[in-house]
Amino acid sequence: MELNSEDAKLTPRVRLGRRLRRLRERRGLSLRQLSELVGGYSHSYLGRVELGEQLPSEALVKTLDEFFDTDGVLAELLELAHDTLIPDYSRKAIDKEPEAERIQVFNSSLIPGLLQTPEYARAAFRRSLLGESEDQISERVAFRVKRQRILERKEPPYYWGIMDEAALRTANTMTAVAGG
């Protein structure tokens, strides 16, 4: 994958979208045609992905990588885009999660991320990231759920956590407000 100097300044989300558009246009396909050929993902969803307005799901990226025979390039770009969702102060810990044998957390007001349900995570993001769209929040929730797979592996890390009662009260409040 070659990048020109303009592409080097773009976010991974926009790079992924531009790469997808180039692949589609090289095949002479419209968004509607691509939608029909890759299992009915809506053309508007594909358009938002191409414009960099929304990250694609892992399932869509896998389908597109297979359809365009890109040897995983789109999946790599999606991983880079997911990395941009992680604040710098959390990056070191999250990068070490896949190899972790033990995870210890203490949180006084929120349920730790690896234990959050999608509904709880969505409510927490809505409360803390007021300027983000629902699509952006959905991307963060999807990434949080993906991180939780570490707890499902054959030999998961020993997870030790302490939560204050306030975290449980906050959970009840947030899910009640969110309709859960």
Side-chain angles (χ1 to χ4, degrees), residues 15-83:
R15 286 183 192 175
L16 192 156
R18 286 190 176 183
R19 171 60 59 162
L20 175 56
R21 176 178 285 148
R22 284 193 295 265
L23 290 166
R24 178 180 58 78
E25 289 175 346
R26 281 186 194 145
R27 293 260 182 110
L29 298 172
S30 70
L31 282 169
R32 287 185 191 276
Q33 290 169 324
L34 179 61
S35 169
E36 292 170 10
L37 291 169
V38 295
Y41 291 95
S42 76
H43 69 279
S44 60
Y45 172 43
L46 293 171
R48 288 191 306 275
V49 170
E50 281 190 2
L51 292 171
E53 295 174 355
Q54 183 174 355
L55 282 177
S57 66
E58 288 182 46
L60 173 59
V61 163
K62 182 179 181 206
T63 299
L64 292 170
D65 269 333
E66 289 172 5
F67 179 79
F68 290 114
D69 193 26
T70 59
D71 197 28
V73 168
L74 298 175
E76 289 174 9
L77 287 169
L78 181 60
E79 282 298 316
L80 288 171
H82 279 159
D83 283 349

Side-chain angles (χ1 to χ4, degrees), residues 87-98:
D88 288 339
Y89 60 83
S90 297
R91 186 169 308 282
K92 190 180 274 186
I94 290 173
D95 286 347
K96 291 181 179 183
E97 275 180 356

Side-chain angles (χ1 to χ4, degrees), residues 155-173:
E155 292 186 34
Y158 175 75
Y159 190 94
W160 184 81
I162 297 175
M163 287 176 273
D164 191 279
E165 184 179 340
L168 299 177
R169 289 179 193 260
T170 301
N172 287 336
T173 303

Side-chain angles (χ1 to χ4, degrees), residues 82 85-86 94 138-147:
H82 279 159
L85 297 174
I86 304 168
I94 290 173
S138 292
E139 291 168 9
R140 290 181 183 277
V141 170
F143 183 69
R144 169 89 25 104
V145 169
K146 181 181 175 186
R147 283 181 48 220

Side-chain angles (χ1 to χ4, degrees), residues 54 110-111 113 115-130 132-145 148 171 174-175 177-180:
Q54 183 174 355
L110 293 173
I111 303 293
L115 301 181
Q116 293 177 2
T117 65
E119 296 79 15
Y120 180 92
R122 183 175 308 284
F125 287 134
R126 280 184 185 139
R127 289 181 80 181
S128 62
L129 302 170
L130 299 176
E132 295 220 355
S133 70
E134 283 301 311
D135 287 340
Q136 292 169 316
I137 289 172
S138 292
E139 291 168 9
R140 290 181 183 277
V141 170
F143 183 69
R144 169 89 25 104
V145 169
Q148 292 172 347
M174 284 199 300
T175 54
V177 169

